Amino acid sequence: MGTANIVEVKNLNSAYGQSKVIFDVSLQIKPKERLSIVGRNGAGKTTLLKSIASLLNPTSGSVVYDGIELVGKPSYDVARMGLKYIDQDKHVFLDLTVRENLELSSYATGDYDWDKVFKHFPKLKILIDRKGAFLSGGERQMLMIGRAILGDPKVLLIDEPTEGLAPSIVDDLVTTFHELSKDCAIMTVGQNLSFVSRIAERIYAMKEGKLVAEITDEAKIKDNSYSCYL
Ligand SMILES: Nc1ncnc2c1ncn2[C@@H]1O[C@H](COP(=O)(O)OP(=O)(O)OP(=O)(O)O)[C@@H](O)[C@H]1O
Ligand SMILES: [Mg+2]
């Protein structure tokens, strides 16, 4: 049935010290799909993404990416293998220019093809000599995603992509995510349901560290009716 999943998460549990946050989460990401996890503040969305990307060590469970077990691997290896996490706080190097930020990612991945970055984000070409500190929230988001697509990732995990962005920038991101998903799977997490309804082909609802529903029906995705699970 269909193509093999690019990511297979099974019975994942994560905690901060004694405090358990993720409970027995199992999910799949299909190649080149646009998937979203929705959940309120503190539901565990960021913790789940970081656990998948090996930025946090799960207490138990398995994350298989492209046939390879990721649990226990260092996060830089995971990123180099093509599974990238883009954080919620839009961290770019503030003292470095757009060019220098891109150079670091090119150095890390060995991929110097910036044309594909500028194809998705032409504005970055104009801002190439501007320091990270002087970019707007939307421009930082562009730079973070631009850096992440170097190295031709197969999966982008994007934490709260629209947080703090103006509506017109959010509109641009909708288009960009549709374009990017021609080459790689995109899983976003967040609370912006109108955005999710415009991009997602499939949704998981997350509550108190557990996935409580999976929504695949297009009409239900479009009309936000999944908000009843939050
Ligand atoms: N570094 C940490 N140490 C201890 N507890 C943490 C840490 N980070 C998060 N938590 C706790 O884990 C739970 C889940 O947090 P998480 O950040 O994963 O939620 P979230 O769904 O991403 O929330 P938000 O929508 O606010 O980004 C919360 O109760 C939070 O207080
Ligand atoms: Mg979060």
Side-chain angles (χ1 to χ4, degrees):
M1 215 187 71
T3 338
N5 296 316
I6 185 73
V7 176
E8 186 86 46
V9 175
K10 278 200 186 129
N11 304 109
L12 199 72
N13 289 279
S14 283
Y16 297 104
Q18 297 296 314
S19 159
K20 280 199 77 179
V21 173
I22 301 297
F23 297 87
D24 236 19
V25 165
S26 296
L27 64 84
Q28 300 80 40
I29 306 177
K30 296 171 196 156
K32 303 184 187 185
E33 80 167 328
R34 293 182 307 279
L35 172 63
S36 293
I37 297 182
V38 294
R40 291 175 186 250
N41 283 120
K45 305 179 297 295
T46 296
T47 307
L48 175 60
L49 288 198
K50 287 187 172 173
S51 304
I52 294 173
S54 245
L55 289 150
L56 258 177
N57 261 331
T59 44
S60 64
S62 147
V63 178
V64 173
Y65 162 73
D66 209 9
I68 299 165
E69 176 62 57
L70 297 187
V71 172
K73 286 208 187 313
S75 56
Y76 52 82
D77 274 350
V78 171
R80 209 175 292 144
M81 287 159 65
L83 183 142
K84 303 266 182 87
Y85 170 71
I86 297 170
D87 77 56
Q88 180 170 1
D89 300 324
K90 303 186 177 62
H91 278 131
V92 299
F93 293 101
L94 299 178
D95 274 347
L96 301 185
T97 62
V98 168
R99 184 194 312 280
E100 290 162 340
N101 270 280
L102 288 172
E103 274 168 356
L104 280 179
S105 300
S106 286
Y107 180 71
T109 55
D111 179 358
Y112 291 83
D113 174 15
W114 292 2
D115 283 346
K116 70 183 165 209
V117 176
F118 299 142
K119 185 182 101 189
H120 292 292
F121 304 109
K123 192 150 184 216
L124 289 181
K125 202 169 186 174
I126 299 163
L127 298 170
I128 194 85
D129 291 315
R130 188 167 298 179
K131 284 196 172 179
F134 302 112
L135 299 176
S136 71
E139 291 158 357
R140 282 185 201 184
Q141 183 67 275
M142 290 175 204
L143 179 53
M144 291 193 58
I145 299 174
R147 283 191 328 199
I149 61 177
L150 289 169
D152 293 325
K154 293 197 181 88
V155 178
L156 298 179
L157 306 177
I158 311 184
D159 203 340
E160 308 270 5
T162 65
E163 204 174 34
L165 301 187
S168 66
I169 309 284
V170 173
D171 290 346
D172 291 346
L173 272 187
V174 171
T175 312
T176 304
F177 282 15
H178 279 83
E179 285 292 318
L180 288 172
S181 68
K182 290 177 185 164
D183 296 316
C184 71
I186 298 177
M187 182 162 88
T188 67
V189 305
Q191 306 193 54
N192 181 345
L193 302 190
S194 73
F195 177 72
V196 167
S197 289
R198 291 165 73 194
I199 59 154
E201 298 164 287
R202 200 158 64 86
I203 296 174
Y204 291 107
M206 185 169 201
K207 195 170 182 177
E208 295 166 6
K210 298 179 184 131
L211 297 187
V212 292
E214 179 186 2
I215 301 97
T216 54
D217 183 80
E218 203 183 331
K220 288 193 176 132
I221 290 174
K222 295 280 176 261
D223 70 11
N224 285 1
S225 57
Y226 53 89
S227 61
C228 65
Y229 296 108
L230 306 182

